[in-house]
């Protein structure tokens, strides 16, 4: 009979993490663990207030699934039993991990996908003054891909400061819904010459429909506007790419389905993350295989990671060992 346990964990962030909505110094995560037959599987999620989630609410939602899991609820049935979101993500990934450990197979074999290879991940620079972001970029200038958190006013100065400090790095800019139409029309034409390869979620979800009538000299990626396959056809007129995060899709199962659907719609794919440990990143490494952009730097932003953890060589993230997940 499967047994479910859930716990809250707090992981210190190295130097803090700031976006347009605010900052934090700790990564607050929830871990679900499902045990059966002498084996245990784990999944980690990050409740996100932007989507109406709280630590307490996600823990309650996970706990509520205990009786159904004990009665034999499987991973596919879970997709109908819970809405997409952080709580389902933790349980879904725990069930994948448990199935892998009980079968003695790796998750990619169970999922019918190719064995993962190492990937180059973006490294995120927190929102700050142009001078602060220049100093951050100077320290990370050897990384091939930097992601800048932006906020609207003063963003051109921030981007120019980072570009001057890291002339060899490709750049992604992420406004987290903070730009106005005027911000976009001022900045977008200038970003090509600054080596920006992607603009992530410039407008709030909803008003972002205006992108359909705006020039997109740099590809634009939907993050907060895309949670699953249901609205992909509508997004095509506004966006060139989507950001797949397991906390939005409700786990690896939903993320793999969204990746397939995005490709069918002709959308490019970015695979992203919240600030969390290697346990949260591990299943996303599978989804990121073949992605156009990978942003799985969560553990690099922490002061310490769990053990065992993913192996990073600079900006190269390696597939998870079975001891960590899958």
């Amino acid at each position: 009979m499967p047994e479910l346990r859930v716990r809250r964990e707090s992981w210190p962030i190295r130097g803090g993490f700031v976006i347009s909505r605010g900052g934090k110094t700790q990564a607050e995560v929830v871990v679900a663990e499902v045990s059966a037959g002498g084996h245990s599987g784990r999944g980690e999620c990050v409740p996100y207030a932007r989507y109406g989630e709280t630590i307490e609410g996600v823990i309650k939602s996970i706990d509520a699934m205990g009786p159904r899991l004990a009665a034999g609820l499987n991973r596919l049935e879970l997709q109908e039993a819970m809405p997409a979101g952080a709580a389902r993500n933790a349980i879904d990934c725990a069930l994948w991990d448990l199935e892998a450990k009980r079968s003695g197979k790796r998750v990619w074999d169970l999922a019918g996908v190719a064995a993962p290879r190492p990937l180059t991940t973006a490294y995120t620079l927190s929102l700050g003054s142009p001078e602060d972001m220049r100093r951050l970029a100077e320290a990370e200038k050897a990384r091939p891909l930097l992601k800048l958190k932006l906020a609207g006013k003063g963003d051109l100065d921030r981007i120019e400061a980072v570009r001057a400090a890291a002339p060899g790095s490709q750049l992604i800019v992420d406004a987290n819904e903070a730009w106005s139409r005027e911000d976009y029309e001022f900045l977008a034409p200038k970003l090509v010459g600054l080596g920006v390869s992607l603009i992530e979620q410039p407008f709030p979800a909803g008003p972002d429909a205006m992108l359909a009538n705006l020039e997109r000299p740099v590809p634009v990626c939907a993050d907060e506007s895309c949670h699953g396959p249901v609205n992909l056809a509508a997004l095509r007129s506004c966006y060139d790419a989507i950001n797949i995060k397991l906390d939005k899709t409700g786990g690896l199962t939903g993320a793999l389905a969204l990746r397939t659907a995005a490709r069918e719609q002709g959308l490019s794919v970015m695979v992203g993350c919240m600030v969390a440990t290697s346990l949260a990143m591990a299943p996303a490494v599978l989804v990121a295989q073949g992605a156009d952009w990978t942003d799985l730097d969560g553990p690099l932003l922490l002061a310490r990671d769990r053990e065992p953890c993913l192996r990073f060589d600079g900006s190269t993230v390696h597939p998870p060992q079975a001891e960590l997940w899958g």
Side-chain angles (χ1 to χ4, degrees):
M1 178 183 297
E3 179 185 356
L4 172 67
R5 291 182 294 275
V6 59
R7 63 183 179 272
R8 174 180 184 167
E9 296 179 350
S10 182
W11 297 84
I13 298 173
R14 178 165 46 88
F17 185 75
V18 182
I19 66 171
S20 60
R21 296 190 192 98
K24 58 184 180 179
T25 58
Q26 301 281 329
E28 303 291 339
V29 309
V30 175
V31 176
E33 187 169 357
V34 183
S35 302
H39 299 277
S40 293
R42 300 179 301 164
E44 178 182 318
C45 70
V46 180
Y48 196 26
R50 168 65 179 80
Y51 305 135
E53 297 174 334
T54 64
I55 293 285
E56 295 76 14
V58 165
I59 288 175
K60 183 177 180 180
S61 295
I62 293 172
D63 265 332
M65 297 306 297
R68 297 192 64 178
L69 289 165
L73 182 80
N74 63 35
R75 179 175 48 77
L76 295 180
E77 293 167 339
L78 177 71
Q79 311 308 306
E80 299 297 326
M82 298 185 78
R88 195 177 80 187
N89 176 27
I91 298 177
D92 181 78
C93 290
L95 290 175
W96 275 108
D97 189 27
L98 177 62
E99 185 178 351
K101 287 179 169 56
R102 295 187 75 178
S103 67
K105 298 180 180 179
R106 297 309 308 267
V107 160
W108 44 87
D109 295 319
L110 297 174
V113 299
R117 297 187 172 197
L119 301 164
T120 298
T121 180
Y123 183 87
T124 303
L125 305 182
S126 281
L127 175 65
S129 70
E131 180 58 25
D132 287 340
M133 296 186 75
R134 185 201 66 77
R135 284 195 294 267
L136 291 171
E138 175 69 27
E140 306 297 342
K141 65 183 180 181
R143 296 186 183 275
L145 181 60
L146 296 176
K147 177 173 172 176
L148 288 59
K149 292 293 188 178
L150 300 178
K153 184 179 179 180
D155 280 348
L156 181 59
D157 292 338
R158 294 182 176 100
I159 300 166
E160 289 178 339
V162 169
R163 170 49 70 217
S169 300
Q170 183 182 5
L171 304 181
I172 295 170
V173 298
D174 182 7
N176 287 111
E177 304 181 280
W179 283 2
S180 65
R181 179 175 182 142
E182 291 73 23
D183 292 326
Y184 180 88
E185 290 180 327
F186 171 71
L187 288 166
K190 296 176 171 59
L191 299 185
V192 177
L194 288 168
V196 173
S197 64
L198 189 69
I199 301 170
E200 192 176 345
Q201 197 69 42
F203 303 135
D208 60 347
M210 74 178 82
L211 281 165
N213 300 312
L214 295 174
E215 294 293 327
R216 300 200 295 271
V218 173
V220 182
C221 178
D223 182 1
E224 286 86 347
S225 293
C226 181
H227 293 250
V230 65
N231 65 335
L232 284 184
L235 288 176
R236 285 179 59 195
S237 65
C238 305
Y239 290 98
D240 307 288
I242 64 165
N243 188 346
I244 301 175
K245 293 178 179 175
L246 275 68
D247 280 314
K248 294 189 300 179
T249 65
L252 176 62
T253 304
L256 290 173
L258 178 56
R259 184 182 68 177
T260 297
R263 294 299 194 199
E264 291 173 350
Q265 291 288 342
L267 288 160
S268 298
V269 168
M270 178 182 188
V271 176
C273 67
M274 308 298 284
V275 183
T277 80
S278 285
L279 180 58
M281 304 302 118
V285 171
L286 272 68
V287 187
Q289 298 298 308
D292 301 279
W293 300 272
T294 297
D295 179 23
L296 298 179
D297 63 343
L300 297 177
L301 304 177
L302 299 178
R304 58 183 176 85
D305 196 3
R306 68 175 73 246
E307 291 292 342
C309 60
L310 288 174
R311 180 162 68 93
F312 286 87
D313 294 324
S315 290
T316 300
V317 55
H318 293 264
Q321 298 297 310
E323 293 77 12
L324 170 64
W325 182 87

